[in-house]
Amino acid sequence: MPRITQEQKRLNREKIVRAAGEGFRLHGIDGIGIEELMKAAGMTHGGFYNHFSSKEDLALEVYRQGFADSLDALSGICEAHPRSARAALHDMVDTYVSATHRDHPETGCASAALAVDAGRHGAASQAEYCRGLKEFFGTITQMVLDRAHQSGTEPTPAQAREQAVALFSQMVGAVVVSRAVAEADPGLSDEILTANRKQLKQA
C-alpha cells in the first residue's frame, strides 16, 4: 500500500478533530465512542491511534481547537466595530446568548458545550479549559477597558477584569440553562436568553 503523505496525515487529523468537536459538543465526551467519531470523520476505527494516544488526548485537542475558533470569532466581532467597543460587546452578547447558539451546540462555543465535561474529566481537561477561559477573559477585559475609555471613564484593570469575568460567565450560564429546558419548555428557554441578553447589555 502507498505510504500516506504528511499533508494527508494532517488533513486526516483535522477531520478527526472536527468530527470529535461536533460529537463531543452534542453528546458529551462520554456520550460518543471512538468508532462513531471515526465513522463521522470518514475513517476506520483502527486509524485513530495513528493520530491520538487516547480519547482523552483527542478531547484535549478539541478544547484547544474549540476555544481557538471561538476566540477567532470574537476577534472578528471586534474588527467589525473598530470605533465602538460598546457595539462590539453588544454584538458578542447577541451572538452568544442566542437561539442559534442554543440550538446548535455541535457548532457552538466549547466553553458552553463542554463546561460540565471539563469539570468531570480531571486536571488535564480542566487545565485546557482554563487556558481557553483565561484568553476569553483577557480579550473581554480589553473590550471593557476600550468601552470605558470611549465613554470617558477609567476603571482600574482589576475592575475591568471583574466585569469581564462576570459577563462571560453569565453568557455561558445563560446558554447552558436555556439548553437544559429547551425541549421541555421552549418558552422558558427563550425567556432565559432574552432576559440575559437584556441584562448583559445594561452592564
Side-chain angles (χ1 to χ4, degrees):
M1 293 179 65
R3 292 184 63 186
I4 190 169
T5 65
Q6 288 300 309
E7 176 64 12
Q8 188 59 54
K9 185 174 182 178
R10 182 185 67 79
L11 292 173
N12 287 346
R13 181 184 173 91
E14 287 180 359
K15 286 181 183 178
I16 296 169
V17 173
R18 187 162 55 249
E22 293 185 3
F24 289 165
R25 285 177 176 89
L26 194 59
H27 304 289
I29 293 172
D30 294 329
I32 187 168
I34 292 174
E35 186 171 354
E36 292 173 271
L37 292 174
M38 292 299 285
K39 185 176 180 180
M43 285 176 268
T44 61
H45 181 280
F48 175 83
Y49 295 99
N50 293 327
H51 302 276
F52 299 97
S53 62
S54 66
K55 190 179 177 184
E56 290 301 320
D57 184 29
L58 172 59
L60 296 181
E61 183 62 28
V62 166
Y63 283 118
R64 282 190 286 270
Q65 189 60 54
F67 273 105
D69 290 345
S70 294
L71 286 159
D72 283 346
L74 181 55
S75 294
I77 287 173
C78 292
E79 290 169 6
H81 303 281
R83 294 181 177 84
S84 177
R86 179 178 296 277
L89 283 163
H90 286 188
D91 193 356
M92 175 188 72
V93 170
D94 285 336
T95 301
Y96 202 101
V97 188
S98 67
T100 298
H101 190 196
R102 175 197 63 198
D103 296 342
H104 296 283
E106 72 278 8
T107 56
C109 184
S111 56
L114 296 175
V116 173
D117 290 274
R120 290 175 175 168
H121 278 259
S125 286
Q126 289 185 25
E128 208 55 65
Y129 188 93
C130 186
R131 187 174 293 113
L133 201 59
K134 286 179 177 177
E135 289 191 56
F136 259 113
F137 291 161
T139 299
I140 298 173
T141 297
Q142 188 58 54
M143 294 169 74
V144 169
L145 286 167
D146 290 344
R147 178 185 63 183
H149 179 71
Q150 290 166 3
S151 65
T153 60
E154 294 295 338
T156 67
Q159 289 171 327
R161 179 175 171 82
E162 181 180 285
Q163 290 179 43
V165 169
L167 178 62
F168 190 64
S169 299
Q170 188 174 339
M171 290 200 309
V172 171
V175 174
V176 171
V177 174
S178 71
R179 282 176 179 163
V181 297
E183 291 186 32
D185 193 333
L188 177 59
S189 181
D190 287 340
E191 182 185 4
I192 291 165
L193 295 177
T194 301
N196 278 281
R197 278 198 306 271
K198 181 179 178 181
Q199 292 296 319
L200 284 162
K201 289 195 286 187
Q202 291 176 354

